[in-house]
Amino acid sequence: MILDRFRLDGQVATVTGAGRGLGAAIAVAFAEAGADVVIAARTESQLDEVAERIRATGRRAHVVVADLAHPESTAGLAPAAVEAFGKLDIVVNNVGGTMPAALTDTSAKDLKDAFTFNVATAHALTTAAVPLMLEHSGGGSVINITSTMGRLAGRGFAAYGTAKAALAHYTRLAALDLCPRIRVNAIAPGSILTSALDIVASNDDLREPMEKATPMRRLGDPEDIAAAAVYLASPAASYLTGKTLEVDGGLTFPNLDMPFPDL
């Protein structure tokens, strides 16, 4: 049955930034597909809620409370997964983000911090996971969460967009280095209705223009990204590596303008 190829039965995944939003949706979807999941974020109460949702599917959850803005913290999640569940098959580098700012207000430190949070953290976990994946499972799947702003130009996204573009190319480079035993792919979400867009969801004057500017005429749900992650992690994507799935409603230009004036 073709649907069997989308199962993750008996696999172990670790998902960063899994206390809410995309990370939480991905972690729960993995459990629904049959995986045990290590979830990590800063807020223990949020992680506990996600862990209960995972356990409700009949799978196991292991909670790690950590400040994932630091590469050494993300690197520690790989051995934590092996210690908790005996192996590691899937890594999702979801943690990241940077607040928008005008280009002239973006310092060199801002760029460095964005790169550390969005790229170095992913590299640290990936390189820590690779030897453990090979030792305990013989291979695995790495999924990086980039952004549509890594390929589209929008005012205010110099730091964030540059970092996410770097993560997308890192995906291609890592895939080549790690094939054929470990696949590395990415998902580039568009505007997804997580807590980051709460102000948009509750404001028709903001939401409706964004929906109109999106070819699919709606904003995304976290489950849209979770479904893509299940595919990339599963045997259904066994011939796919070094690629980025653009799950963005068909965007070809940004659907939200930051209010930065002309010079």
Side-chain angles (χ1 to χ4, degrees), residues 15-29 39-41 46-47 49-50 53 92 94-96 145 189 192-198 220-227 229:
V15 182
T16 64
R20 60 182 180 175
L22 300 185
I26 291 169
V28 173
I39 53 176
Q46 292 178 342
L47 289 171
E49 291 179 9
V50 177
R53 294 171 62 192
V92 179
N94 168 67
V95 73
I145 305 301
I192 309 297
L193 288 169
T194 65
S195 58
L197 285 184
D198 279 347
D221 294 317
E223 288 74 19
D224 293 321
I225 306 304

PDB file of all heavy atoms in Angstrom, residues 15-29 39-41 46-47 49-50 53 92 94-96 145 189 192-198 220-227 229:
ATOM      1  N   VAL A  15      12.796  17.260  17.481  1.00  0.00           N
ATOM      2  CA  VAL A  15      12.268  18.472  16.866  1.00  0.00           C
ATOM      3  C   VAL A  15      12.606  19.657  17.759  1.00  0.00           C
ATOM      4  O   VAL A  15      12.245  19.682  18.940  1.00  0.00           O
ATOM      5  CB  VAL A  15      10.736  18.390  16.681  1.00  0.00           C
ATOM      6  CG1 VAL A  15      10.221  19.655  15.987  1.00  0.00           C
ATOM      7  CG2 VAL A  15      10.351  17.148  15.879  1.00  0.00           C
ATOM      8  N   THR A  16      13.302  20.646  17.208  1.00  0.00           N
ATOM      9  CA  THR A  16      13.629  21.845  17.986  1.00  0.00           C
ATOM     10  C   THR A  16      12.500  22.860  17.883  1.00  0.00           C
ATOM     11  O   THR A  16      11.737  22.879  16.920  1.00  0.00           O
ATOM     12  CB  THR A  16      14.945  22.477  17.504  1.00  0.00           C
ATOM     13  OG1 THR A  16      14.792  22.943  16.151  1.00  0.00           O
ATOM     14  CG2 THR A  16      16.093  21.482  17.578  1.00  0.00           C
ATOM     15  N   GLY A  17      12.408  23.712  18.895  1.00  0.00           N
ATOM     16  CA  GLY A  17      11.343  24.712  18.903  1.00  0.00           C
ATOM     17  C   GLY A  17       9.974  24.081  18.881  1.00  0.00           C
ATOM     18  O   GLY A  17       9.060  24.558  18.198  1.00  0.00           O
ATOM     19  N   ALA A  18       9.792  23.006  19.664  1.00  0.00           N
ATOM     20  CA  ALA A  18       8.580  22.190  19.572  1.00  0.00           C
ATOM     21  C   ALA A  18       7.542  22.517  20.635  1.00  0.00           C
ATOM     22  O   ALA A  18       6.581  21.777  20.802  1.00  0.00           O
ATOM     23  CB  ALA A  18       8.950  20.701  19.663  1.00  0.00           C
ATOM     24  N   GLY A  19       7.692  23.626  21.329  1.00  0.00           N
ATOM     25  CA  GLY A  19       6.726  23.964  22.357  1.00  0.00           C
ATOM     26  C   GLY A  19       5.426  24.518  21.808  1.00  0.00           C
ATOM     27  O   GLY A  19       4.400  24.500  22.489  1.00  0.00           O
ATOM     28  N   ARG A  20       5.456  25.018  20.590  1.00  0.00           N
ATOM     29  CA  ARG A  20       4.261  25.606  19.982  1.00  0.00           C
ATOM     30  C   ARG A  20       4.486  25.723  18.481  1.00  0.00           C
ATOM     31  O   ARG A  20       5.546  25.369  17.952  1.00  0.00           O
ATOM     32  CB  ARG A  20       3.982  26.987  20.581  1.00  0.00           C
ATOM     33  CG  ARG A  20       5.116  27.984  20.372  1.00  0.00           C
ATOM     34  CD  ARG A  20       4.820  29.319  21.009  1.00  0.00           C
ATOM     35  NE  ARG A  20       5.916  30.266  20.796  1.00  0.00           N
ATOM     36  CZ  ARG A  20       5.879  31.550  21.163  1.00  0.00           C
ATOM     37  NH1 ARG A  20       4.806  32.027  21.763  1.00  0.00           N
ATOM     38  NH2 ARG A  20       6.919  32.349  20.925  1.00  0.00           N
ATOM     39  N   GLY A  21       3.491  26.214  17.783  1.00  0.00           N
ATOM     40  CA  GLY A  21       3.619  26.532  16.372  1.00  0.00           C
ATOM     41  C   GLY A  21       4.004  25.364  15.492  1.00  0.00           C
ATOM     42  O   GLY A  21       3.513  24.244  15.671  1.00  0.00           O
ATOM     43  N   LEU A  22       4.896  25.624  14.549  1.00  0.00           N
ATOM     44  CA  LEU A  22       5.282  24.608  13.577  1.00  0.00           C
ATOM     45  C   LEU A  22       5.941  23.409  14.247  1.00  0.00           C
ATOM     46  O   LEU A  22       5.671  22.260  13.881  1.00  0.00           O
ATOM     47  CB  LEU A  22       6.226  25.202  12.532  1.00  0.00           C
ATOM     48  CG  LEU A  22       5.697  26.365  11.698  1.00  0.00           C
ATOM     49  CD1 LEU A  22       6.713  26.750  10.625  1.00  0.00           C
ATOM     50  CD2 LEU A  22       4.355  26.028  11.062  1.00  0.00           C
ATOM     51  N   GLY A  23       6.811  23.657  15.205  1.00  0.00           N
ATOM     52  CA  GLY A  23       7.508  22.557  15.861  1.00  0.00           C
ATOM     53  C   GLY A  23       6.552  21.619  16.566  1.00  0.00           C
ATOM     54  O   GLY A  23       6.686  20.390  16.480  1.00  0.00           O
ATOM     55  N   ALA A  24       5.576  22.174  17.271  1.00  0.00           N
ATOM     56  CA  ALA A  24       4.591  21.345  17.960  1.00  0.00           C
ATOM     57  C   ALA A  24       3.769  20.542  16.962  1.00  0.00           C
ATOM     58  O   ALA A  24       3.526  19.340  17.158  1.00  0.00           O
ATOM     59  CB  ALA A  24       3.683  22.215  18.818  1.00  0.00           C
ATOM     60  N   ALA A  25       3.335  21.182  15.880  1.00  0.00           N
ATOM     61  CA  ALA A  25       2.532  20.482  14.877  1.00  0.00           C
ATOM     62  C   ALA A  25       3.321  19.345  14.234  1.00  0.00           C
ATOM     63  O   ALA A  25       2.788  18.251  14.007  1.00  0.00           O
ATOM     64  CB  ALA A  25       2.058  21.467  13.806  1.00  0.00           C
ATOM     65  N   ILE A  26       4.591  19.576  13.949  1.00  0.00           N
ATOM     66  CA  ILE A  26       5.428  18.539  13.347  1.00  0.00           C
ATOM     67  C   ILE A  26       5.625  17.384  14.315  1.00  0.00           C
ATOM     68  O   ILE A  26       5.518  16.208  13.935  1.00  0.00           O
ATOM     69  CB  ILE A  26       6.779  19.134  12.914  1.00  0.00           C
ATOM     70  CG1 ILE A  26       6.585  20.085  11.731  1.00  0.00           C
ATOM     71  CG2 ILE A  26       7.778  18.031  12.547  1.00  0.00           C
ATOM     72  CD1 ILE A  26       7.804  20.921  11.401  1.00  0.00           C
ATOM     73  N   ALA A  27       5.904  17.696  15.583  1.00  0.00           N
ATOM     74  CA  ALA A  27       6.135  16.646  16.571  1.00  0.00           C
ATOM     75  C   ALA A  27       4.912  15.750  16.728  1.00  0.00           C
ATOM     76  O   ALA A  27       5.024  14.517  16.772  1.00  0.00           O
ATOM     77  CB  ALA A  27       6.516  17.268  17.913  1.00  0.00           C
ATOM     78  N   VAL A  28       3.740  16.347  16.821  1.00  0.00           N
ATOM     79  CA  VAL A  28       2.516  15.560  16.977  1.00  0.00           C
ATOM     80  C   VAL A  28       2.229  14.743  15.711  1.00  0.00           C
ATOM     81  O   VAL A  28       1.821  13.580  15.787  1.00  0.00           O
ATOM     82  CB  VAL A  28       1.329  16.485  17.325  1.00  0.00           C
ATOM     83  CG1 VAL A  28       0.021  15.709  17.308  1.00  0.00           C
ATOM     84  CG2 VAL A  28       1.545  17.125  18.696  1.00  0.00           C
ATOM     85  N   ALA A  29       2.455  15.340  14.549  1.00  0.00           N
ATOM     86  CA  ALA A  29       2.244  14.604  13.297  1.00  0.00           C
ATOM     87  C   ALA A  29       3.169  13.400  13.201  1.00  0.00           C
ATOM     88  O   ALA A  29       2.755  12.322  12.748  1.00  0.00           O
ATOM     89  CB  ALA A  29       2.461  15.537  12.106  1.00  0.00           C
ATOM     90  N   ILE A  39      11.274  16.403  22.130  1.00  0.00           N
ATOM     91  CA  ILE A  39      10.852  17.772  21.851  1.00  0.00           C
ATOM     92  C   ILE A  39      11.632  18.724  22.752  1.00  0.00           C
ATOM     93  O   ILE A  39      11.839  18.452  23.930  1.00  0.00           O
ATOM     94  CB  ILE A  39       9.335  17.954  22.045  1.00  0.00           C
ATOM     95  CG1 ILE A  39       8.888  17.462  23.428  1.00  0.00           C
ATOM     96  CG2 ILE A  39       8.583  17.219  20.939  1.00  0.00           C
ATOM     97  CD1 ILE A  39       7.410  17.717  23.719  1.00  0.00           C
ATOM     98  N   ALA A  40      12.059  19.846  22.185  1.00  0.00           N
ATOM     99  CA  ALA A  40      12.901  20.787  22.921  1.00  0.00           C
ATOM    100  C   ALA A  40      12.460  22.214  22.666  1.00  0.00           C
ATOM    101  O   ALA A  40      12.085  22.579  21.546  1.00  0.00           O
ATOM    102  CB  ALA A  40      14.363  20.616  22.517  1.00  0.00           C
ATOM    103  N   ALA A  41      12.497  23.015  23.723  1.00  0.00           N
ATOM    104  CA  ALA A  41      12.205  24.447  23.662  1.00  0.00           C
ATOM    105  C   ALA A  41      12.540  25.040  25.028  1.00  0.00           C
ATOM    106  O   ALA A  41      13.009  24.340  25.928  1.00  0.00           O
ATOM    107  CB  ALA A  41      10.743  24.696  23.297  1.00  0.00           C
ATOM    108  N   GLN A  46       4.759  24.527  27.946  1.00  0.00           N
ATOM    109  CA  GLN A  46       4.340  24.291  26.564  1.00  0.00           C
ATOM    110  C   GLN A  46       4.778  22.913  26.098  1.00  0.00           C
ATOM    111  O   GLN A  46       4.016  22.186  25.442  1.00  0.00           O
ATOM    112  CB  GLN A  46       4.917  25.371  25.651  1.00  0.00           C
ATOM    113  CG  GLN A  46       4.345  26.750  25.891  1.00  0.00           C
ATOM    114  CD  GLN A  46       4.971  27.805  25.007  1.00  0.00           C
ATOM    115  OE1 GLN A  46       6.050  27.615  24.434  1.00  0.00           O
ATOM    116  NE2 GLN A  46       4.316  28.953  24.885  1.00  0.00           N
ATOM    117  N   LEU A  47       6.002  22.534  26.431  1.00  0.00           N
ATOM    118  CA  LEU A  47       6.498  21.216  26.049  1.00  0.00           C
ATOM    119  C   LEU A  47       5.667  20.108  26.693  1.00  0.00           C
ATOM    120  O   LEU A  47       5.381  19.080  26.048  1.00  0.00           O
ATOM    121  CB  LEU A  47       7.964  21.065  26.446  1.00  0.00           C
ATOM    122  CG  LEU A  47       8.971  21.878  25.638  1.00  0.00           C
ATOM    123  CD1 LEU A  47      10.350  21.786  26.285  1.00  0.00           C
ATOM    124  CD2 LEU A  47       9.035  21.401  24.194  1.00  0.00           C
ATOM    125  N   GLU A  49       2.537  20.164  27.423  1.00  0.00           N
ATOM    126  CA  GLU A  49       1.278  20.048  26.683  1.00  0.00           C
ATOM    127  C   GLU A  49       1.470  19.273  25.388  1.00  0.00           C
ATOM    128  O   GLU A  49       0.651  18.420  25.027  1.00  0.00           O
ATOM    129  CB  GLU A  49       0.713  21.437  26.393  1.00  0.00           C
ATOM    130  CG  GLU A  49       0.227  22.181  27.629  1.00  0.00           C
ATOM    131  CD  GLU A  49      -0.291  23.568  27.295  1.00  0.00           C
ATOM    132  OE1 GLU A  49      -0.427  23.868  26.092  1.00  0.00           O
ATOM    133  OE2 GLU A  49      -0.558  24.346  28.229  1.00  0.00           O
ATOM    134  N   VAL A  50       2.559  19.570  24.676  1.00  0.00           N
ATOM    135  CA  VAL A  50       2.831  18.855  23.429  1.00  0.00           C
ATOM    136  C   VAL A  50       3.130  17.388  23.716  1.00  0.00           C
ATOM    137  O   VAL A  50       2.686  16.485  22.989  1.00  0.00           O
ATOM    138  CB  VAL A  50       3.995  19.521  22.666  1.00  0.00           C
ATOM    139  CG1 VAL A  50       4.343  18.735  21.408  1.00  0.00           C
ATOM    140  CG2 VAL A  50       3.634  20.959  22.302  1.00  0.00           C
ATOM    141  N   ARG A  53       0.004  15.437  24.065  1.00  0.00           N
ATOM    142  CA  ARG A  53      -0.606  15.163  22.759  1.00  0.00           C
ATOM    143  C   ARG A  53       0.106  14.011  22.055  1.00  0.00           C
ATOM    144  O   ARG A  53      -0.533  13.184  21.401  1.00  0.00           O
ATOM    145  CB  ARG A  53      -0.570  16.425  21.897  1.00  0.00           C
ATOM    146  CG  ARG A  53      -1.428  17.558  22.424  1.00  0.00           C
ATOM    147  CD  ARG A  53      -1.187  18.840  21.651  1.00  0.00           C
ATOM    148  NE  ARG A  53      -1.538  18.694  20.244  1.00  0.00           N
ATOM    149  CZ  ARG A  53      -1.208  19.588  19.301  1.00  0.00           C
ATOM    150  NH1 ARG A  53      -0.504  20.674  19.640  1.00  0.00           N
ATOM    151  NH2 ARG A  53      -1.570  19.391  18.045  1.00  0.00           N
ATOM    152  N   VAL A  92      14.645  17.476  12.998  1.00  0.00           N
ATOM    153  CA  VAL A  92      13.976  18.647  12.426  1.00  0.00           C
ATOM    154  C   VAL A  92      14.564  19.895  13.070  1.00  0.00           C
ATOM    155  O   VAL A  92      14.379  20.146  14.264  1.00  0.00           O
ATOM    156  CB  VAL A  92      12.453  18.614  12.641  1.00  0.00           C
ATOM    157  CG1 VAL A  92      11.813  19.873  12.055  1.00  0.00           C
ATOM    158  CG2 VAL A  92      11.852  17.373  11.989  1.00  0.00           C
ATOM    159  N   ASN A  94      13.968  23.215  13.448  1.00  0.00           N
ATOM    160  CA  ASN A  94      12.863  24.163  13.307  1.00  0.00           C
ATOM    161  C   ASN A  94      13.123  25.483  14.004  1.00  0.00           C
ATOM    162  O   ASN A  94      12.621  26.521  13.578  1.00  0.00           O
ATOM    163  CB  ASN A  94      11.585  23.532  13.870  1.00  0.00           C
ATOM    164  CG  ASN A  94      10.463  24.542  14.027  1.00  0.00           C
ATOM    165  OD1 ASN A  94       9.942  25.066  13.044  1.00  0.00           O
ATOM    166  ND2 ASN A  94      10.088  24.836  15.264  1.00  0.00           N
ATOM    167  N   VAL A  95      13.923  25.475  15.065  1.00  0.00           N
ATOM    168  CA  VAL A  95      14.104  26.701  15.838  1.00  0.00           C
ATOM    169  C   VAL A  95      14.794  27.771  14.983  1.00  0.00           C
ATOM    170  O   VAL A  95      15.650  27.472  14.148  1.00  0.00           O
ATOM    171  CB  VAL A  95      14.909  26.410  17.131  1.00  0.00           C
ATOM    172  CG1 VAL A  95      16.379  26.141  16.824  1.00  0.00           C
ATOM    173  CG2 VAL A  95      14.762  27.543  18.122  1.00  0.00           C
ATOM    174  N   GLY A  96      14.388  29.004  15.196  1.00  0.00           N
ATOM    175  CA  GLY A  96      14.973  30.104  14.435  1.00  0.00           C
ATOM    176  C   GLY A  96      14.064  31.316  14.478  1.00  0.00           C
ATOM    177  O   GLY A  96      13.031  31.321  15.153  1.00  0.00           O
ATOM    178  N   ILE A 145      13.904  23.889   8.549  1.00  0.00           N
ATOM    179  CA  ILE A 145      12.787  24.793   8.294  1.00  0.00           C
ATOM    180  C   ILE A 145      13.351  26.157   7.915  1.00  0.00           C
ATOM    181  O   ILE A 145      13.927  26.870   8.745  1.00  0.00           O
ATOM    182  CB  ILE A 145      11.865  24.916   9.520  1.00  0.00           C
ATOM    183  CG1 ILE A 145      11.389  23.525   9.965  1.00  0.00           C
ATOM    184  CG2 ILE A 145      10.680  25.816   9.182  1.00  0.00           C
ATOM    185  CD1 ILE A 145      10.622  22.742   8.914  1.00  0.00           C
ATOM    186  N   PRO A 189       8.266  27.557   4.592  1.00  0.00           N
ATOM    187  CA  PRO A 189       6.878  27.976   4.812  1.00  0.00           C
ATOM    188  C   PRO A 189       6.637  29.404   4.332  1.00  0.00           C
ATOM    189  O   PRO A 189       7.526  30.253   4.360  1.00  0.00           O
ATOM    190  CB  PRO A 189       6.709  27.876   6.330  1.00  0.00           C
ATOM    191  CG  PRO A 189       7.869  27.060   6.815  1.00  0.00           C
ATOM    192  CD  PRO A 189       8.978  27.349   5.858  1.00  0.00           C
ATOM    193  N   ILE A 192       2.150  31.369   7.868  1.00  0.00           N
ATOM    194  CA  ILE A 192       1.456  30.294   8.562  1.00  0.00           C
ATOM    195  C   ILE A 192       0.833  30.854   9.838  1.00  0.00           C
ATOM    196  O   ILE A 192       1.460  31.635  10.565  1.00  0.00           O
ATOM    197  CB  ILE A 192       2.421  29.144   8.918  1.00  0.00           C
ATOM    198  CG1 ILE A 192       3.218  28.707   7.674  1.00  0.00           C
ATOM    199  CG2 ILE A 192       1.646  27.973   9.514  1.00  0.00           C
ATOM    200  CD1 ILE A 192       2.382  28.147   6.547  1.00  0.00           C
ATOM    201  N   LEU A 193      -0.378  30.447  10.136  1.00  0.00           N
ATOM    202  CA  LEU A 193      -1.113  30.970  11.286  1.00  0.00           C
ATOM    203  C   LEU A 193      -0.632  30.330  12.582  1.00  0.00           C
ATOM    204  O   LEU A 193      -1.276  29.448  13.156  1.00  0.00           O
ATOM    205  CB  LEU A 193      -2.614  30.758  11.088  1.00  0.00           C
ATOM    206  CG  LEU A 193      -3.247  31.674  10.029  1.00  0.00           C
ATOM    207  CD1 LEU A 193      -4.655  31.228   9.705  1.00  0.00           C
ATOM    208  CD2 LEU A 193      -3.228  33.129  10.495  1.00  0.00           C
ATOM    209  N   THR A 194       0.527  30.781  13.027  1.00  0.00           N
ATOM    210  CA  THR A 194       1.047  30.429  14.340  1.00  0.00           C
ATOM    211  C   THR A 194       0.941  31.666  15.234  1.00  0.00           C
ATOM    212  O   THR A 194       0.415  32.705  14.814  1.00  0.00           O
ATOM    213  CB  THR A 194       2.510  29.978  14.255  1.00  0.00           C
ATOM    214  OG1 THR A 194       3.314  31.096  13.821  1.00  0.00           O
ATOM    215  CG2 THR A 194       2.670  28.831  13.257  1.00  0.00           C
ATOM    216  N   SER A 195       1.465  31.571  16.451  1.00  0.00           N
ATOM    217  CA  SER A 195       1.393  32.710  17.370  1.00  0.00           C
ATOM    218  C   SER A 195       2.113  33.940  16.818  1.00  0.00           C
ATOM    219  O   SER A 195       1.791  35.071  17.194  1.00  0.00           O
ATOM    220  CB  SER A 195       1.977  32.326  18.726  1.00  0.00           C
ATOM    221  OG  SER A 195       3.322  31.891  18.588  1.00  0.00           O
ATOM    222  N   ALA A 196       3.071  33.730  15.914  1.00  0.00           N
ATOM    223  CA  ALA A 196       3.792  34.863  15.325  1.00  0.00           C
ATOM    224  C   ALA A 196       2.871  35.744  14.487  1.00  0.00           C
ATOM    225  O   ALA A 196       3.167  36.921  14.256  1.00  0.00           O
ATOM    226  CB  ALA A 196       4.951  34.358  14.467  1.00  0.00           C
ATOM    227  N   LEU A 197       1.745  35.181  14.043  1.00  0.00           N
ATOM    228  CA  LEU A 197       0.793  35.947  13.227  1.00  0.00           C
ATOM    229  C   LEU A 197      -0.523  36.174  13.958  1.00  0.00           C
ATOM    230  O   LEU A 197      -1.546  36.410  13.321  1.00  0.00           O
ATOM    231  CB  LEU A 197       0.535  35.222  11.900  1.00  0.00           C
ATOM    232  CG  LEU A 197       1.641  35.287  10.849  1.00  0.00           C
ATOM    233  CD1 LEU A 197       1.186  34.616   9.554  1.00  0.00           C
ATOM    234  CD2 LEU A 197       2.072  36.715  10.566  1.00  0.00           C
ATOM    235  N   ASP A 198      -0.494  36.125  15.285  1.00  0.00           N
ATOM    236  CA  ASP A 198      -1.720  36.347  16.052  1.00  0.00           C
ATOM    237  C   ASP A 198      -2.365  37.685  15.717  1.00  0.00           C
ATOM    238  O   ASP A 198      -3.598  37.785  15.577  1.00  0.00           O
ATOM    239  CB  ASP A 198      -1.431  36.293  17.560  1.00  0.00           C
ATOM    240  CG  ASP A 198      -1.366  34.866  18.081  1.00  0.00           C
ATOM    241  OD1 ASP A 198      -1.781  33.945  17.350  1.00  0.00           O
ATOM    242  OD2 ASP A 198      -0.901  34.682  19.223  1.00  0.00           O
ATOM    243  N   GLY A 220      -1.566  29.815   5.673  1.00  0.00           N
ATOM    244  CA  GLY A 220      -1.322  28.410   5.941  1.00  0.00           C
ATOM    245  C   GLY A 220      -1.648  28.008   7.368  1.00  0.00           C
ATOM    246  O   GLY A 220      -1.683  28.836   8.278  1.00  0.00           O
ATOM    247  N   ASP A 221      -1.903  26.717   7.558  1.00  0.00           N
ATOM    248  CA  ASP A 221      -2.068  26.125   8.877  1.00  0.00           C
ATOM    249  C   ASP A 221      -0.791  25.373   9.243  1.00  0.00           C
ATOM    250  O   ASP A 221      -0.096  24.857   8.349  1.00  0.00           O
ATOM    251  CB  ASP A 221      -3.242  25.140   8.882  1.00  0.00           C
ATOM    252  CG  ASP A 221      -4.575  25.836   8.659  1.00  0.00           C
ATOM    253  OD1 ASP A 221      -4.789  26.901   9.258  1.00  0.00           O
ATOM    254  OD2 ASP A 221      -5.399  25.311   7.886  1.00  0.00           O
ATOM    255  N   PRO A 222      -0.459  25.275  10.533  1.00  0.00           N
ATOM    256  CA  PRO A 222       0.711  24.492  10.923  1.00  0.00           C
ATOM    257  C   PRO A 222       0.691  23.064  10.377  1.00  0.00           C
ATOM    258  O   PRO A 222       1.746  22.509  10.056  1.00  0.00           O
ATOM    259  CB  PRO A 222       0.644  24.514  12.452  1.00  0.00           C
ATOM    260  CG  PRO A 222      -0.032  25.812  12.770  1.00  0.00           C
ATOM    261  CD  PRO A 222      -1.067  25.972  11.686  1.00  0.00           C
ATOM    262  N   GLU A 223      -0.505  22.494  10.237  1.00  0.00           N
ATOM    263  CA  GLU A 223      -0.603  21.130   9.722  1.00  0.00           C
ATOM    264  C   GLU A 223      -0.153  21.030   8.266  1.00  0.00           C
ATOM    265  O   GLU A 223       0.248  19.948   7.812  1.00  0.00           O
ATOM    266  CB  GLU A 223      -2.029  20.609   9.871  1.00  0.00           C
ATOM    267  CG  GLU A 223      -2.438  20.297  11.306  1.00  0.00           C
ATOM    268  CD  GLU A 223      -2.687  21.552  12.138  1.00  0.00           C
ATOM    269  OE1 GLU A 223      -2.893  22.645  11.548  1.00  0.00           O
ATOM    270  OE2 GLU A 223      -2.669  21.451  13.383  1.00  0.00           O
ATOM    271  N   ASP A 224      -0.218  22.138   7.524  1.00  0.00           N
ATOM    272  CA  ASP A 224       0.296  22.123   6.148  1.00  0.00           C
ATOM    273  C   ASP A 224       1.798  21.847   6.152  1.00  0.00           C
ATOM    274  O   ASP A 224       2.313  21.116   5.295  1.00  0.00           O
ATOM    275  CB  ASP A 224       0.024  23.468   5.455  1.00  0.00           C
ATOM    276  CG  ASP A 224      -1.453  23.730   5.235  1.00  0.00           C
ATOM    277  OD1 ASP A 224      -2.183  22.782   4.897  1.00  0.00           O
ATOM    278  OD2 ASP A 224      -1.875  24.892   5.385  1.00  0.00           O
ATOM    279  N   ILE A 225       2.502  22.427   7.110  1.00  0.00           N
ATOM    280  CA  ILE A 225       3.940  22.216   7.223  1.00  0.00           C
ATOM    281  C   ILE A 225       4.223  20.839   7.818  1.00  0.00           C
ATOM    282  O   ILE A 225       5.152  20.139   7.390  1.00  0.00           O
ATOM    283  CB  ILE A 225       4.577  23.319   8.082  1.00  0.00           C
ATOM    284  CG1 ILE A 225       4.201  24.708   7.534  1.00  0.00           C
ATOM    285  CG2 ILE A 225       6.088  23.147   8.116  1.00  0.00           C
ATOM    286  CD1 ILE A 225       4.548  24.935   6.083  1.00  0.00           C
ATOM    287  N   ALA A 226       3.417  20.437   8.789  1.00  0.00           N
ATOM    288  CA  ALA A 226       3.605  19.129   9.416  1.00  0.00           C
ATOM    289  C   ALA A 226       3.457  18.003   8.397  1.00  0.00           C
ATOM    290  O   ALA A 226       4.210  17.023   8.423  1.00  0.00           O
ATOM    291  CB  ALA A 226       2.614  18.947  10.564  1.00  0.00           C
ATOM    292  N   ALA A 227       2.497  18.134   7.492  1.00  0.00           N
ATOM    293  CA  ALA A 227       2.297  17.104   6.476  1.00  0.00           C
ATOM    294  C   ALA A 227       3.516  16.994   5.565  1.00  0.00           C
ATOM    295  O   ALA A 227       3.936  15.889   5.189  1.00  0.00           O
ATOM    296  CB  ALA A 227       1.045  17.406   5.654  1.00  0.00           C
ATOM    297  N   ALA A 229       6.545  17.734   6.423  1.00  0.00           N
ATOM    298  CA  ALA A 229       7.625  17.150   7.218  1.00  0.00           C
ATOM    299  C   ALA A 229       7.489  15.637   7.315  1.00  0.00           C
ATOM    300  O   ALA A 229       8.484  14.906   7.241  1.00  0.00           O
ATOM    301  CB  ALA A 229       7.650  17.776   8.615  1.00  0.00           C
TER     302      ALA A 229
END
